[in-house]
Amino acid sequence: MKIPNNLRLIVNMRFYLTLCSALFLVNCSSKTDHIEMVYGQTGTSLFQLKNKQLAYTVKKEGQMVLDTSLLGVTIDGKNLGSNSKISFLGKDQIAVKYALNGIKKIADYKGDIHSYEVTEEDGFKWQLEFQLSNEGVAYRYKVPGEGNSTVQGEATTFKLPKATKVWYFERDSDWKLKSHAGEWLSADISEMPTVSKMGPVQGLTLTCELPQGGYALLAEAALYNYSGMRLEAIGNNSFKANFTEGNQGFVVDGTITTPWRCILLADDLNALANNTMVASLNPAPNSELFADTSWIKPGKSVWHWWSGKYVDYVEEHDMVDDAVALDFEYNMVDDGWEAWENKWEKITMLCSYAMEKGVGIFVWKHSKEINFPENDYAVMGHFLDSVKQAGAVGVKVDFMNGQDKHIIDFDEALLRKAAERRLMVNFHGCQQSSGEYRTYPNEVTREGIRGLEVNHMPEGPLPASHNAALPFTRYVTGHGDYTPLGFTEPGETTWAHQLATLVTFYSPFNCIAENTQFLLNNTAIAPALDFIKSVPTVWDETYVLPQSKIGELAAIARRKGDDWYVGILSSGSSKEMAIDLNFLKAGKYNVEILADDIEAQPINLEGLNKEANLRQWNTAIPFKRIIEKVSSDGNIIIQLATNGGAAIRFIRSKVEVK
């Protein structure tokens, strides 16, 4: 076939331009020139410093988010990325759309992947991948190998602009980096090396308020077959990758693929709270293992621990009845059941009774009793077989107490083996999420959060500012088992504030703390009981109201079907808040408002909970219930008490309200 001259010219010109572009990228590797990557308003530069160390920068809308930050990984004593040449391999588009049990019904993520081959001075080759999207920048290292190799650290750094405000979690004990259950505080970036009594190492995530406006959140995604990353504040407004194993390192067999190192970007808190980059960077679920996911069911759970830490069979039997009365789907049987006489016989009887009532049973287990890798975690498999045979639907595994590679391997093995038996998983005593629930949707919640149980502990209770920070810090990367709703021990917060946590925080498996009998029989709670019963645990849509400010006010609207719920968590002095209802679809709504009853006599909390340690907070401001009719072009005025809140439900009218 003869090609026309004009078409031949076009083809040749395209080939020439492609070749020139590739040669430019290769040539850049031997100089200090920058390789630019752009997606929308997100930009990244990849380059070498004069000493040939790999480095990068990140910009959003032309403004610097990360200044010169280093890249590289140390394996078997060799510092990869310290004296290298870069060559461009290719650019691919990524587009994933999947069901998300959490902040929205569907996650719809798009971006570009840029791949580079890195050649060391001795000729060894490995790959560096960057992913850019409207939601942020992420990168990872892929290093080929056979047999065991030891990862001894990374050069990975993140250099933020001066005057950046950093939100981090703090706990005055070594539990801080074991369980990630710290209080969310903030400090200027310059203070981060010395701000904590526990040292300069911080756990992920870190939410950064940028001086030019907008937000960056540092995280990791797809943490498998690797140690979990922490960040060490090293001065010069910089954080460096840090690992539990230190210089000793950790062993990886075969090719080493690190988790994605993520810089989530957002113009406002609504975009930050809706960011799905971390989950989207995780692999899709195994199509065989999760061919049917009908057994993974969101819902609320009763929990005896708040009322009495150790339980007997009769009490748990009664808890099933209370779950039915509350329209809850589950009963979380916590530590203590294994001390029952004939424990497996008893738990089987309990599961059978619960199943007749339409209630599923979760059972607790200490991780150290099943964390034995031999024979593909055979001990774990035997335990899960017994749980399944007993009729339970899920497990709560506790006290992993770290994120070294040994623990991360255990976590994934548990998710996989539980899925093989159609069991759901609740992780406790663990690190925050890196999006594992995308790959293993049977992970229905995890702790890695300073939750309400701290109110029972000497270091408690939780301040309102911590709650008002959580939706924009810990919850950005995934669900959290905060165990909400504590009327009998609310600390400095109000009862309406406690109700609002059912909306502002999310967990597909939502374990409710408060004593079930108190909820069912206390007359002061009765006006909110229908709200407690009906509030969903997963959502179709999330919208952060513009008045929100990290640590001061979290005002979040969430939709399920045609109905909307709003949760407001306030920290600090009393205030008036106007809520613009423009997030509602056009139409009329019946609205139920559960707000601070500022003029009412405070509730005396003494004697309401035998487990409570009330300290000076022995009273609480109750809530009042208001019923109104509104439309999407209207607004609502809310009076918030000191450290108060509000929980609001909008039911769309089927018939126009006149």
Side-chain angles (χ1 to χ4, degrees), residues 575-577 595-598 624 637-641 645-646:
K575 55 183 71 74
E576 182 178 272
M577 180 179 176
D596 295 320
D597 194 351
I598 299 172
K624 58 184 176 181
I637 306 297
I638 299 291
Q639 301 295 329
L640 298 168

Short mmCIF file of all heavy atoms in Angstrom, two decimals, residues 575-577 595-598 624 637-641 645-646:
data_model
loop_
_atom_site.label_atom_id
_atom_site.label_comp_id
_atom_site.label_asym_id
_atom_site.label_seq_id
_atom_site.Cartn_x
_atom_site.Cartn_y
_atom_site.Cartn_z
N LYS A 575 -21.52 29.42 70.38
CA LYS A 575 -21.60 30.21 69.16
C LYS A 575 -22.92 29.93 68.43
O LYS A 575 -23.58 28.92 68.70
CB LYS A 575 -20.42 29.89 68.24
CG LYS A 575 -20.26 28.42 67.89
CD LYS A 575 -19.03 28.15 67.02
CE LYS A 575 -17.74 28.29 67.74
NZ LYS A 575 -17.43 27.17 68.66
N GLU A 576 -23.25 30.84 67.55
CA GLU A 576 -24.40 30.64 66.68
C GLU A 576 -23.91 30.25 65.30
O GLU A 576 -22.94 30.80 64.80
CB GLU A 576 -25.23 31.92 66.60
CG GLU A 576 -26.49 31.79 65.75
CD GLU A 576 -27.30 33.08 65.72
OE1 GLU A 576 -28.16 33.25 66.61
OE2 GLU A 576 -27.06 33.90 64.81
N MET A 577 -24.61 29.29 64.67
CA MET A 577 -24.19 28.82 63.35
C MET A 577 -25.38 28.80 62.41
O MET A 577 -26.44 28.25 62.74
CB MET A 577 -23.58 27.42 63.45
CG MET A 577 -23.12 26.86 62.13
SD MET A 577 -22.39 25.22 62.32
CE MET A 577 -22.08 24.82 60.59
N ALA A 595 -30.30 19.40 69.17
CA ALA A 595 -29.32 20.46 69.42
C ALA A 595 -29.14 20.68 70.92
O ALA A 595 -29.96 20.25 71.75
CB ALA A 595 -29.78 21.75 68.75
N ASP A 596 -28.07 21.39 71.27
CA ASP A 596 -27.80 21.70 72.67
C ASP A 596 -28.96 22.47 73.30
O ASP A 596 -29.42 23.48 72.75
CB ASP A 596 -26.53 22.56 72.78
CG ASP A 596 -25.28 21.83 72.32
OD1 ASP A 596 -25.16 20.63 72.63
OD2 ASP A 596 -24.43 22.46 71.66
N ASP A 597 -29.42 21.98 74.44
CA ASP A 597 -30.47 22.67 75.19
C ASP A 597 -29.77 23.55 76.23
O ASP A 597 -29.64 23.17 77.40
CB ASP A 597 -31.41 21.66 75.83
CG ASP A 597 -32.69 22.31 76.34
OD1 ASP A 597 -32.76 23.56 76.34
OD2 ASP A 597 -33.61 21.58 76.74
N ILE A 598 -29.34 24.71 75.78
CA ILE A 598 -28.49 25.57 76.60
C ILE A 598 -29.20 26.05 77.85
O ILE A 598 -28.59 26.24 78.91
CB ILE A 598 -28.00 26.76 75.75
CG1 ILE A 598 -27.17 26.26 74.57
CG2 ILE A 598 -27.18 27.73 76.58
CD1 ILE A 598 -26.79 27.32 73.58
N LYS A 624 -32.11 19.06 72.95
CA LYS A 624 -33.54 19.25 72.73
C LYS A 624 -33.86 18.85 71.30
O LYS A 624 -33.00 18.91 70.42
CB LYS A 624 -33.94 20.70 72.98
CG LYS A 624 -33.22 21.71 72.13
CD LYS A 624 -33.61 23.14 72.50
CE LYS A 624 -32.81 24.17 71.72
NZ LYS A 624 -33.17 25.57 72.09
N ILE A 637 -30.72 28.02 61.75
CA ILE A 637 -29.85 28.66 62.74
C ILE A 637 -29.74 27.73 63.94
O ILE A 637 -30.75 27.31 64.52
CB ILE A 637 -30.40 30.03 63.18
CG1 ILE A 637 -30.65 30.92 61.97
CG2 ILE A 637 -29.43 30.69 64.15
CD1 ILE A 637 -29.42 31.26 61.17
N ILE A 638 -28.49 27.40 64.31
CA ILE A 638 -28.23 26.49 65.43
C ILE A 638 -27.46 27.24 66.51
O ILE A 638 -26.48 27.95 66.21
CB ILE A 638 -27.41 25.27 64.97
CG1 ILE A 638 -28.18 24.47 63.92
CG2 ILE A 638 -27.07 24.37 66.16
CD1 ILE A 638 -29.39 23.76 64.43
N GLN A 639 -27.88 27.06 67.77
CA GLN A 639 -27.13 27.59 68.90
C GLN A 639 -26.28 26.46 69.48
O GLN A 639 -26.82 25.45 69.92
CB GLN A 639 -28.08 28.14 69.97
CG GLN A 639 -29.00 29.25 69.48
CD GLN A 639 -28.24 30.51 69.09
OE1 GLN A 639 -27.19 30.83 69.64
NE2 GLN A 639 -28.78 31.23 68.11
N LEU A 640 -24.96 26.65 69.45
CA LEU A 640 -24.03 25.63 69.94
C LEU A 640 -23.50 26.03 71.31
O LEU A 640 -23.00 27.14 71.49
CB LEU A 640 -22.87 25.47 68.95
CG LEU A 640 -23.24 25.00 67.55
CD1 LEU A 640 -22.05 25.16 66.60
CD2 LEU A 640 -23.71 23.55 67.58
N ALA A 641 -23.59 25.11 72.25
CA ALA A 641 -23.03 25.36 73.59
C ALA A 641 -21.52 25.27 73.54
O ALA A 641 -20.93 24.88 72.53
CB ALA A 641 -23.60 24.33 74.57
N GLY A 645 -22.65 20.72 70.02
CA GLY A 645 -22.85 20.10 68.72
C GLY A 645 -24.31 20.02 68.36
O GLY A 645 -25.19 20.51 69.09
N ALA A 646 -24.57 19.37 67.24
CA ALA A 646 -25.94 19.16 66.79
C ALA A 646 -25.96 17.98 65.82
O ALA A 646 -24.99 17.75 65.08
CB ALA A 646 -26.49 20.41 66.10
#
